[in-house]
Amino acid sequence: QQAVTGELSSLSDVIIVSTGGGGFSSFGGGGSTSTGEYFTQRDIAGIERIQGIKTVSTQLSGSGLAEYNGKTTILSLTGMEVSVMKLQYASQNLEAGEFLTENDQNKIMIGYSIAHDTFDADISVGGRIKINGEKFFVSGIFEKQGFGGTSSDSIVLMNSRDFQKLTGQSNISLIYLRVYNVNDAESIATTIQTTINGNHGKKDFATATTMTSILKTVQNIIGILQLVLVGIASIALVVASIGIMNTMLTSVMERTREIGIMKAIGATTRDIMSIFIIEGVLM
């Protein structure tokens, strides 16, 4: 609990803005959780005018025609700034390779299923994949996550510059913000939701999620797990106690003759009880 709380607390100045209700599932997840609706430059400009916001970054989503080892398929593409990429995917381990750097060009990171299941041959670090006719080198491969829509198994990740150059699209599916004052995060998130929803004329177009709300959710989950673990430990304790009691009962019954001899030569009930209690404690 301390480890998880500490990790999220270090990101307490982060706000994630998504379309619909996908803020929490998008964080650390695989690509866009968009419902087909995207943010506009007007939304970005509106956010940048809000007081207390330090930086604004975006995640772009699109698709491309990928070719590897003679097989061609359509893949979902995700583009974002490298700093945001490291923030969002910091909790996910790499099977091989390394994260992209600011100066990388025509390099991508791919999910486990892209590397091992999508094409006829496995893709390794350094492998070349053609996307929309452009060659991209694989810099890193994520370990298998296996959590459905929120995993990175089916992701093709590149920096924003390469994404826009390759697709010519600017479909903004997620917005990441950092605020100057952590205490203002909740009020700023509310203001962001109101601003974007007003731009699109809908009450629930955008959801702004703070790390504080995510932390509360995680703590609730940990609380449930603690109850489960206490239940399992209690059952184990009862079973072990019955086992020890049964063993001690058998031990006493097998030594009836020795107990009689000890009593005959002057041992008290307390002495005999002490012998068996010490044996039980050691067991």
Side-chain angles (χ1 to χ4, degrees):
Q1 184 173 9
Q2 289 176 344
V4 173
T5 301
E7 188 71 26
L8 289 178
S9 295
S10 65
L11 304 174
S12 55
D13 63 340
V14 175
I15 300 175
I16 303 168
V17 189
S18 61
T19 55
F24 176 62
S25 63
S26 299
F27 188 73
S32 172
T33 57
S34 173
T35 56
E37 297 176 305
Y38 298 98
F39 296 109
T40 64
Q41 291 302 322
R42 182 186 175 193
D43 296 328
I44 302 298
I47 290 174
E48 289 175 340
R49 285 195 294 268
I50 297 173
Q51 293 293 321
I53 294 178
K54 187 191 300 181
T55 58
V56 179
S57 303
T58 58
Q59 174 176 307
L60 309 176
S61 298
S63 59
L65 193 63
E67 179 184 347
Y68 181 77
N69 197 39
K71 181 178 179 180
T72 303
T73 186
I74 295 176
L75 297 179
S76 295
L77 308 177
T78 300
M80 63 176 68
E81 294 178 15
V82 172
S83 58
V84 178
M85 189 185 302
K86 291 179 178 178
L87 167 68
Q88 182 174 355
Y89 295 94
S91 62
Q92 298 190 23
N93 296 325
L94 296 180
E95 179 188 72
E98 58 188 10
F99 269 91
L100 299 179
T101 64
E102 294 288 350
N103 298 322
D104 283 340
Q105 289 186 331
N106 285 55
K107 287 188 176 182
I108 57 175
M109 299 182 68
I110 60 176
Y112 183 90
S113 64
I114 299 293
H116 301 291
D117 303 327
T118 302
F119 298 97
D120 294 334
D122 287 353
I123 304 173
S124 58
V125 172
R128 292 182 297 179
I129 303 176
K130 267 190 177 182
I131 304 177
N132 291 352
E134 289 283 335
K135 289 183 180 178
F136 283 84
F137 294 88
V138 176
S139 173
I141 301 172
F142 289 105
E143 283 186 354
K144 189 173 184 178
Q145 301 295 319
F147 294 119
T150 62
S151 82
S152 59
D153 288 347
S154 300
I155 195 172
V156 176
L157 197 59
M158 61 183 68
N159 63 48
S160 300
R161 183 179 59 254
D162 283 345
F163 180 93
Q164 291 178 317
K165 179 181 175 183
L166 180 69
T167 65
Q169 300 173 354
S170 297
N171 297 329
I172 303 171
S173 57
L174 288 173
I175 303 173
Y176 298 88
L177 308 102
R178 282 187 179 273
V179 298
Y180 286 106
N181 190 339
V182 173
N183 297 325
D184 296 335
E186 291 291 344
S187 60
I188 290 175
T190 303
T191 304
I192 290 169
Q193 282 188 188
T194 303
T195 301
I196 295 178
N197 289 340
N199 289 345
H200 293 268
K202 295 181 181 180
K203 291 183 178 180
D204 57 353
F205 181 86
T207 300
T209 308
T210 64
M211 286 296 112
T212 304
S213 60
I214 293 178
L215 185 58
K216 289 178 181 176
T217 303
V218 170
Q219 286 175 334
N220 289 337
I221 294 171
I222 291 175
I224 294 171
L225 291 176
Q226 285 175 337
L227 290 175
V228 172
L229 290 173
V230 167
I232 293 172
S234 300
I235 294 170
L237 185 62
V238 170
V239 172
S241 300
I242 293 172
I244 293 172
M245 184 177 69
N246 183 58
T247 303
M248 293 307 301
L249 181 61
T250 304
S251 177
V252 171
M253 293 179 69
E254 288 177 344
R255 298 178 188 174
T256 305
R257 181 182 177 85
E258 287 87 339
I259 293 172
I261 294 172
M262 291 173 67
K263 295 276 280 186
I265 63 176
T268 63
T269 301
R270 186 186 182 115
D271 293 333
I272 296 169
M273 184 75 75
S274 298
I275 292 171
F276 283 100
I277 287 177
I278 292 171
E279 183 181 339
V281 169
L282 291 173
M283 187 181 297

